[in-house]
Amino acid sequence: MSSLVSVGRVAPVPVGPGGTKLALRLLCEATGAARISLFRLTPEGDFEPTPVQWIGDESLPEVDVEGASRVLAFREIRLLRETDPPSGSSPRHTLYVPLVAASGAVGVLVVDAEPGDQFDELRVRTVATVSSQIALAIENATLIRTLQGEMERAEAASQAKSEFLANVSHEIRTPMNAILGYIELIEDPETPSEDREMLIDGVRRSGTHLLSVIDNILDISQIEAGKVTLSVERVSPEDISLDVEMLFRGQAKEKSLQFEVKCDENLPPAIHTDRARLRQI
């Protein structure tokens, strides 16, 4: 809270995120200014080309970059007097007030008086008091935006982790189910002996695939950094298809389903790709 001193009254002004425009309006009324403009600094330290807010004269104000920069450099209020007023007009006085918060300079407040009017000590002190509150409000608003951005990034990261865990669960469960299915078939006394070697090979292939999945999980730090490394090698698409068939054959048999892989005759004998990731797909 801050107080704007006017003739015979004190007006409380809450200056917080969203309260800046109200503070400028009341400050304009209390000081009798023709116009008050708020110019903010960009993260790079330059002035934004147009004011964030302005009250009073409806024409779009422009900042005197040189004067505003001097004000910020010396961290002091400066009164500028118009040196070449229009013919027959009184010179206009303008206050340049630095907006400095705990984190540093955040902008400049420009207060234009009516032509011929001058700022007395009370009005200058009033502007200075409210300006410090406005600087704090800008700093708080920036902090809130930063926190909101961090919250959004944290929520996105949480969502990504949930999706990752769901994918990992699927990737591990598929070869593990295949291994368990093959073991049950191997233990089944009705399984023909000539099929056992094929089933053992299925266990071996599924185990190898499971190891590659675990290796990828252990390599998650690279995935998070966007640096996934592909291991490109000469691979037979037909072999990959047979690997997939081996993964699901046991589960299909348990459900009395027929699972077959038919390879097109135009399928190339070999391609260059990442074997493990193609198999996952």
Side-chain angles (χ1 to χ4, degrees):
M1 300 288 288
S2 62
S3 295
L4 296 183
V5 181
S6 184
V7 178
R9 71 185 179 93
V10 175
V13 184
V15 184
T20 304
K21 190 175 184 67
L22 174 61
L24 293 183
R25 181 181 295 112
L26 293 178
L27 183 60
C28 193
E29 293 176 1
T31 60
R35 180 171 61 187
I36 300 179
S37 314
L38 195 164
F39 291 90
R40 194 166 53 192
L41 287 175
T42 66
E44 293 75 27
D46 301 318
F47 284 102
E48 294 180 353
T50 56
V52 179
Q53 301 281 3
W54 76 93
I55 298 295
D57 187 344
E58 294 185 356
S59 61
L60 182 66
E62 296 181 0
V63 64
D64 178 352
V65 175
E66 183 179 351
S69 298
R70 285 201 303 269
V71 164
L72 287 181
F74 291 98
R75 298 287 201 274
E76 63 182 15
I77 298 176
R78 292 205 171 187
L79 178 63
L80 302 181
R81 181 177 181 273
E82 190 176 22
T83 57
D84 189 19
S87 178
S89 300
S90 301
R92 170 172 284 185
H93 291 77
T94 301
L95 276 179
Y96 275 75
V97 185
L99 299 176
V100 182
S103 60
V106 295
V108 166
L109 199 66
V110 181
V111 185
D112 295 305
E114 296 286 354
D117 191 13
Q118 297 189 31
F119 292 99
D120 57 29
E121 183 180 350
L122 175 60
R123 286 197 287 177
V124 172
R125 189 166 64 249
T126 301
V127 171
T129 300
V130 177
S131 295
S132 64
Q133 299 300 312
I134 291 176
L136 179 60
I138 293 175
E139 183 179 51
N140 289 341
T142 301
L143 178 59
I144 289 173
R145 286 196 299 270
T146 301
L147 291 176
Q148 288 174 337
E150 292 295 334
M151 289 178 62
E152 290 172 0
R153 282 189 286 273
E155 290 174 358
S158 177
Q159 178 66 23
K161 289 179 180 178
S162 298
E163 294 175 359
F164 169 74
L165 290 175
N167 290 333
V168 165
S169 175
H170 170 75
E171 291 290 346
I172 293 177
R173 194 163 48 238
T174 300
M176 184 60 71
N177 285 336
I179 291 172
L180 295 175
Y182 286 134
I183 291 176
E184 288 182 4
L185 291 174
I186 292 172
E187 292 177 339
D188 189 346
E190 296 183 3
T191 299
S193 57
E194 59 269 20
D195 289 346
R196 294 182 186 276
E197 184 175 347
M198 179 196 67
L199 295 172
I200 292 172
D201 183 57
V203 172
R204 185 183 301 109
R205 285 172 175 265
S206 298
T208 301
H209 177 57
L210 183 58
L211 282 176
S212 69
V213 171
I214 294 173
D215 286 341
N216 288 336
I217 295 172
L218 295 176
D219 204 27
I220 186 62
S221 59
Q222 290 191 14
I223 295 175
E224 289 179 339
K227 299 178 180 179
V228 179
T229 302
L230 297 178
S231 179
V232 178
E233 57 182 320
R234 185 179 175 86
V235 176
S236 167
E238 186 174 357
D239 286 349
I240 294 292
S241 300
L242 292 176
D243 283 347
V244 174
E245 182 184 10
M246 294 290 286
L247 280 174
F248 291 100
R249 181 182 295 168
Q251 298 175 58
K253 188 172 182 178
E254 285 180 359
K255 298 180 181 180
S256 300
L257 298 175
Q258 186 175 359
F259 187 90
E260 292 183 354
V261 174
K262 295 182 179 180
C263 295
D264 189 280
E265 60 181 10
N266 296 320
L267 192 69
I271 59 174
H272 286 85
T273 185
D274 187 301
R275 178 187 298 271
R277 288 184 170 82
L278 179 58
R279 184 166 47 202
Q280 288 174 342
I281 294 171

